[in-house]
Amino acid sequence: CQEEKYLHFCAAAAKNLFRPPSASRPHIQVVTDCGFLISALVDSGAELSMAKSILANKSSTQRVGKPIPILDVHSNQEMTRGQVSFKFDILESSTTTPLKDVSANVHLSDVLSSEIIFGADWLRPMGAVIHMEDNSVEFHPNLHPTVASCLKPVLSAGLAAASAIEHLSVDRQHYF
């Protein structure tokens, strides 16, 4: 199969006319390897991780993939500018589990609602737990096989996520 035949879905568009003005979305603070502080959206509804093309000026990036077609929430189709890998740290102020020397592969685009959007392709292997009640995010890369076995990253309001945090050796069947 050829990858060009498939459209990937990026859930965050530049302007969401249906989002209430007071709505907030979960963000984490990352510092690129070049020292730039960036607020990154955590979006479990996005299949792919994306970043504004300007990221190439704020981080040491390495091209790892070619441009692909994407479809935004408004059914607009566009081509990405390709996929790059970049390194960063996740600050403690934005998560209970700060991480150093993290890397991600992101597709570049000129129009996004946030500078970086971490989608399910990155959240799963990072063992992401999103607490909807306060938009906080936890990362459990060591629990990756258990947490990532879910169809989407765990969206918690104190259910399965609380159990996973307290019991690091949780049996896989507790997530289903």
Side-chain angles (χ1 to χ4, degrees), residues 129-143:
V129 177
I130 304 167
H131 295 280
M132 299 304 291
E133 68 275 5
D134 63 0
N135 284 333
S136 64
V137 182
E138 295 179 31
F139 297 100
H140 301 279
N142 296 336
L143 289 177

Side-chain angles (χ1 to χ4, degrees), residues 21-124:
S22 62
S24 63
R25 303 178 298 169
H27 282 76
I28 57 173
Q29 302 302 310
V30 301
V31 177
T32 67
D33 59 351
C34 293
F36 286 92
L37 176 66
I38 298 175
S39 182
L41 174 63
V42 176
D43 187 350
S44 65
E47 291 179 23
L48 297 175
S49 295
M50 304 278 297
K52 286 186 178 178
S53 300
I54 193 87
L55 177 68
N57 298 334
K58 297 181 176 185
S59 179
S60 302
T61 59
Q62 180 179 9
R63 184 170 292 277
V64 295
K66 60 186 178 180
I68 62 168
I70 61 168
L71 189 64
D72 70 16
V73 294
H74 304 296
S75 298
N76 298 318
Q77 182 180 346
E78 69 174 87
M79 293 294 287
T80 67
R81 298 200 176 274
Q83 188 180 36
V84 298
S85 179
F86 78 106
K87 294 186 187 240
F88 55 94
D89 295 336
I90 300 174
L91 296 183
E92 183 176 3
S93 62
S94 62
T95 180
T96 58
T97 49
L99 298 171
K100 300 278 187 196
D101 298 321
V102 181
S103 66
N105 293 340
V106 294
H107 282 274
L108 299 178
S109 177
D110 292 333
V111 180
L112 292 174
S113 62
S114 297
E115 276 197 70
I116 299 171
I117 300 170
F118 288 122
D121 63 328
W122 185 79
L123 296 171
R124 275 191 199 107

